[in-house]
Amino acid sequence: MTVQPNDTLLEVKDLQTHFFMAEGVAKAVDSTTFSIGRGKVLGVVGESGCGKSVTARSIMRMVRPPGHTVDGEILYARAAETGPTTSVDLLQLPATGAEMRSIRGGEISMIFQEPRASLSPVHRIGDQITENILLHQPVSPAEAEDIATDMLQQVHIPLPEQRMGAFAHQLSGGMCQRVMIAMALSCHPNLLIADEPTTALDVTTEAQILELMQGLQADLNMAIMFITHDLGVVADMADEVAVMYLGKIVERGAAADIFRDPKHPYTIALLESLPRMDQKREWLQTIRGVVPDPYSTLSGCPFHPRCADFMPGVCDEIVPQPITLEDEREVRCLLYTEHATRETPPPAEEASHQ
Amino acid sequence: MLEVNGLKKHFPLTSGLFSKVVSHIKAVDGVDFTLQKGETLGLVGESGCGKTTVGRLIMRLYAPTAGDINFRPHGEEGAQYDLGALDNKALRPVRTHLQMIFQDPYTSLNPRKTILDIIGEPLRLNGMSRGSELEDRVVEMLRLVGLRPEYITRYPHAFSGGQRQRIGIARALILNPTLVIADEPVSALDVSVQAQILNLLKFLQRELDLTYLFIAHDLGVVKHISDRVAVMYVGKLVELAEADDLYRKPLHPYTEALLSAVHVAGPAHSQGERIVLEGEVADPSNPPSGCYFHPRCRYAQDRCHQETPELQNVAKDRYVACHFAEELDLAGAGTT
């Protein structure tokens, strides 16, 4: 990756979060490895059910039974008050222990897709933000209130003093999302996990929120893990992109490279299936079949039944491992290995989406 | 085929013990457009702009406050109905020509009914067929929308979102309608499924000679499927044009801002400056004076505060409601 080891803020290694259901074990996150550099934006994309949100919740240690994080490491570079940065494995901490609680919401915070559902309907906006500040910062209630008002100002909420006393139902969706951002940023987190923060919003409101997030990210030198299914938003926001399919990261690399020259057939197919304003096409490309149900155990590459470049006898037998190509791209695909039955891996050139 | 003139829908806002009407929410406030046979008109705008209300008025799920909706179904020579003036009984035969596809495939199908019941219900209700004849029609529809006939006895929970949307489409098309109103039919779906449904809708339009009113907020989707596009803001149309013209060269500042807000999933940003609109959509119960868009418009001048612009025909097939439409040089979405 482009990140220098000492600049890495969060390193996730071989994370496995499984859901133990009556129907079987659903491997929602299945050996996922990635890292986020300090002050960088990582975009995580994929269709519903690919494990994006479960990955985020695993980092926050918020996976509820029947889900369990069964294996892996989540190394977080925690800056001490004085002295050197120490690396903490979040999975080794008790999920409800003091240390994890001080990290969650303070050093790593999260914003959710449904802003209105994530705010308490019976508490005032100001009290909800103040509560988080008091939990994580050694300040008096009056000071916390000042910080909260200041945060509302920073997220461009008009008349912040008055809005402190408002309830969630009195605000629009865009305003609620600003309140969520204010709350998440009130303790100056090192990492913000944004799970589909703009999916429920109109394009114009989305543009406002994204501009706001970009501005604050630069000001606070905060890293963002940006989870979305909107490839357009990722292209605009992210430094690096990870594409997930069935709990695995199938492609990872610099955002500009991935959109210019996608390597994995799934990434290519996703980009091809988008209706684009700058192109005229009669028919959209589709991916055949559907995402298989999470309990199924597919042999070989999990994408092989839907893949346009399926190689019989190879893809349905060998499980692809992540390999690193040029420009530090990581791909989980057998087309780029010695198992490939063709001379040259054709997909990127052949199906170029330009 | 469909002609909408001066369509208005005001919802009363009541308050107090006797539900006194204190004001009106002008959800739709004077909308005019026409639909040609076989075309797709895209209707776009932010949430709360009234686009869904327009769809429901044409379906006559709401009675309009004012205006006419003149509708000429195919298969009935010379017949013309003013949908706004008909009562429920008179509407019944006309309704078979008008069908709707809904946004949420999870809540728009009755979970206690089989696919046969769901898709066959319109036929049964209208007394058009029953028994094995009805079953044959349902099987035919399932094939047409790309579902397997064996699914006929299953319940909705057994299907994925994309399959459910196909069921919703089969139910809408079984009566062989003239006009299909699709209200955000793909916004709840993943991109790969969205592509399948969009292709299906295009294919069915050709097969069955359908006319679509396609309501959506995703401008990429609307461009792909529409022949013409209408842009709505606070109950009024602000621009109406051929899709390619509108995207290449918008004439209304609101259209320009909407287009610039779209994120293109590509490496090179063909689009220019992103216009971030300040503030929020105007309150339809208390709209601003003059042009409703002026508080958010970066080109607004004194005249915009006072005079409300009318939707005017400025070029062939181009309508825009802006005082300065012909003076402004607005940026469109890059077309290659």
Side-chain angles (χ1 to χ4, degrees):
Chain A
M1 310 261 20
T2 48
V3 181
Q4 295 304 308
N6 55 351
D7 260 359
T8 306
L9 179 67
L10 188 85
E11 202 175 351
V12 174
K13 283 187 187 164
D14 219 14
L15 182 71
Q16 308 222 15
T17 300
H18 298 175
F19 284 76
F20 298 90
M21 316 285 279
E23 295 93 329
V25 178
K27 295 182 177 173
V29 178
D30 191 13
S31 67
T32 287
T33 301
F34 63 91
S35 60
I36 304 175
R38 211 172 275 282
K40 295 281 181 197
V41 180
L42 172 75
V44 180
V45 293
E47 295 177 273
S48 343
C50 71
K52 312 184 291 281
S53 295
V54 178
T55 305
R57 283 171 183 272
S58 302
I59 296 169
M60 293 294 274
R61 300 296 310 280
M62 295 199 307
V63 178
R64 293 242 177 101
H68 293 281
T69 302
V70 291
D71 199 9
E73 284 175 74
I74 300 173
L75 300 174
Y76 167 60
R78 197 170 190 206
E81 212 47 48
T82 51
T85 307
T86 49
S87 178
V88 192
D89 185 355
L90 299 184
L91 289 178
Q92 299 303 321
L93 302 176
T96 52
E99 196 172 359
M100 193 61 224
R101 277 188 290 138
S102 86
I103 293 173
R104 187 194 300 127
E107 292 170 45
I108 303 179
S109 58
M110 186 160 172
I111 50 179
F112 301 88
Q113 175 171 2
E114 283 285 339
R116 203 160 311 199
S118 325
L119 288 169
S120 163
V122 295
H123 293 96
R124 294 177 193 278
I125 298 302
D127 295 343
Q128 296 186 53
I129 304 173
T130 316
E131 181 192 16
N132 192 40
I133 298 169
L134 287 172
L135 277 174
H136 294 285
Q137 292 179 36
V139 292
S140 71
E143 286 169 321
E145 214 152 295
D146 289 344
I147 299 174
T149 316
D150 185 49
M151 281 315 300
L152 289 182
Q153 181 112 45
Q154 278 197 45
V155 297
H156 306 298
I157 288 184
L159 307 171
E161 289 87 4
Q162 289 172 34
R163 291 287 191 271
M164 288 283 283
F167 291 98
H169 69 89
Q170 293 167 320
L171 303 175
S172 67
M175 281 292 164
C176 283
Q177 197 56 284
R178 283 161 201 264
V179 171
M180 284 297 296
I181 293 173
M183 195 187 301
L185 301 188
S186 60
C187 298
H188 303 292
N190 294 318
L191 173 64
L192 176 70
I193 300 176
D195 189 0
E196 307 259 10
T198 56
T199 307
L201 307 174
D202 276 316
V203 279
T204 52
T205 318
E206 175 177 76
Q208 292 173 351
I209 296 286
L210 293 179
E211 190 192 54
L212 175 73
M213 286 178 69
Q214 276 172 325
L216 293 171
Q217 188 243 342
D219 289 351
L220 304 172
N221 191 32
M222 167 181 72
I224 302 181
M225 178 174 166
F226 198 101
I227 299 172
T228 180
H229 66 267
D230 189 329
L231 293 154
V233 170
V234 164
D236 208 41
M237 289 284 291
D239 301 309
E240 284 180 29
V241 173
V243 183
M244 283 189 86
Y245 184 75
L246 282 184
K248 289 190 164 74
I249 291 178
V250 295
E251 180 161 6
R252 186 162 67 117
D257 297 338
I258 285 195
F259 286 102
R260 196 192 60 241
D261 179 21
K263 295 286 190 196
H264 197 283
Y266 179 61
T267 318
I268 296 168
L270 274 185
L271 287 169
E272 286 286 310
S273 67
L274 280 179
R276 297 263 301 262
M277 291 204 310
D278 53 354
Q279 290 170 9
K280 190 80 189 163
R281 266 185 303 196
E282 189 58 35
W283 301 104
L284 296 169
Q285 294 287 320
T286 58
I287 308 178
R288 64 164 176 254
V290 291
V291 179
D293 83 273
Y295 311 112
S296 63
T297 43
L298 288 163
S299 61
C301 171
F303 188 58
H304 83 256
R306 307 180 69 193
C307 185
D309 298 296
F310 171 60
M311 299 177 288
V314 180
C315 296
D316 48 357
E317 281 172 17
I318 306 165
V319 178
Q321 295 303 319
I323 45 168
T324 308
L325 305 175
E326 80 278 22
D327 62 32
E328 309 203 3
R329 188 90 60 95
E330 203 181 278
V331 183
R332 243 181 225 264
C333 180
L334 294 165
L335 283 173
Y336 303 97
T337 65
E338 72 278 8
H339 301 296
T341 47
R342 299 202 196 121
E343 283 295 298
T344 46
E349 285 73 31
E350 212 172 65
S352 167
H353 61 287
Q354 275 302 310
Chain B
M1 191 209 73
L2 183 82
E3 205 181 321
V4 175
N5 284 321
L7 187 65
K8 288 187 184 183
K9 177 68 190 175
H10 296 177
F11 293 103
L13 256 183
T14 56
S15 109
L17 182 61
F18 299 105
S19 299
K20 200 174 114 218
V21 175
V22 287
S23 65
H24 285 90
I25 295 176
K26 295 174 181 171
V28 176
D29 196 23
V31 164
D32 310 84
F33 63 89
T34 57
L35 264 174
Q36 311 299 324
K37 190 164 183 294
E39 79 164 341
T40 302
L41 176 69
L43 187 57
V44 296
E46 291 173 89
S47 33
C49 73
K51 49 190 198 303
T52 295
T53 310
V54 168
R56 296 192 165 190
L57 283 168
I58 295 169
M59 285 298 289
R60 270 304 308 274
L61 297 173
Y62 297 141
T65 309
D68 352 294
I69 309 164
N70 289 315
F71 176 58
R72 279 184 292 278
H74 65 59
E76 290 182 44
E77 282 312 311
Q80 177 173 336
Y81 301 93
D82 178 4
L83 298 179
L86 298 181
D87 61 18
N88 276 335
K89 198 168 167 225
L91 269 173
R92 215 168 159 166
V94 191
R95 278 215 164 115
T96 62
H97 299 288
L98 293 163
Q99 291 293 329
M100 193 152 183
I101 301 168
F102 297 92
Q103 171 171 8
D104 188 345
Y106 291 88
T107 55
S108 56
L109 302 178
N110 186 336
R112 290 168 181 271
K113 287 194 169 180
T114 64
I115 299 317
L116 173 65
D117 290 335
I118 290 172
I119 300 177
E121 191 166 21
L123 283 177
R124 212 160 33 75
L125 282 179
N126 287 287
M128 287 166 139
S129 62
R130 43 205 273 221
S132 64
E133 191 193 331
L134 182 133
E135 207 171 310
D136 291 345
R137 275 288 287 150
V138 172
V139 166
E140 190 191 321
M141 278 323 290
L142 281 176
R143 286 220 176 85
L144 195 61
V145 299
L147 290 173
R148 291 223 287 260
E150 303 93 272
Y151 294 162
I152 200 160
T153 54
R154 295 196 189 172
Y155 290 88
H157 71 84
F159 296 94
S160 67
Q163 286 175 317
R164 287 179 202 217
Q165 202 55 292
R166 287 173 195 265
I167 294 167
I169 292 169
R171 172 176 62 183
L173 300 186
I174 197 158
L175 290 177
N176 199 14
T178 309
L179 171 63
V180 175
I181 296 171
D183 191 357
E184 304 266 12
V186 295
S187 48
L189 306 173
D190 273 320
V191 283
S192 66
V193 184
Q194 171 180 296
Q196 293 169 1
I197 298 293
L198 289 174
N199 283 347
L200 175 67
L201 286 171
K202 248 187 165 170
F203 162 77
L204 291 171
Q205 180 167 41
R206 291 194 187 161
E207 265 328 83
L208 306 173
D209 202 11
L210 297 168
T211 308
Y212 289 140
L213 177 63
F214 195 95
I215 302 169
H217 66 269
D218 185 323
L219 290 145
V221 169
V222 168
K223 162 115 192 278
H224 177 74
I225 198 141
S226 305
D227 302 307
R228 290 190 302 146
V229 174
V231 182
M232 247 183 120
Y233 188 74
V234 198
K236 288 179 191 288
L237 292 188
V238 295
E239 188 162 1
L240 173 65
E242 298 275 333
D244 287 342
D245 295 344
L246 184 113
Y247 281 75
R248 196 174 53 242
K249 179 111 189 60
L251 292 179
H252 197 283
Y254 180 60
T255 315
E256 183 194 34
L258 278 183
L259 290 174
S260 84
V262 174
H263 295 261
V264 176
H269 288 264
S270 48
Q271 53 182 325
E273 174 199 6
R274 194 179 299 291
I275 304 164
V276 176
L277 288 178
E278 294 298 321
E280 305 200 12
V281 179
D283 179 359
S285 67
N286 183 21
S289 63
C291 173
Y292 289 174
F293 187 59
H294 86 255
R296 305 175 80 189
C297 181
R298 58 179 188 164
Y299 308 104
Q301 298 186 21
D302 285 347
R303 192 178 164 196
C304 306
H305 296 243
Q306 284 130 30
E307 279 176 59
T308 308
E310 295 296 319
L311 192 68
Q312 282 174 335
N313 190 348
V314 289
K316 188 178 171 290
D317 293 326
R318 292 215 70 161
Y319 297 84
V320 62
C322 176
H323 295 306
F324 302 102
E326 287 168 50
E327 293 153 41
L328 295 173
D329 184 27
L330 305 178
T335 306
T336 47

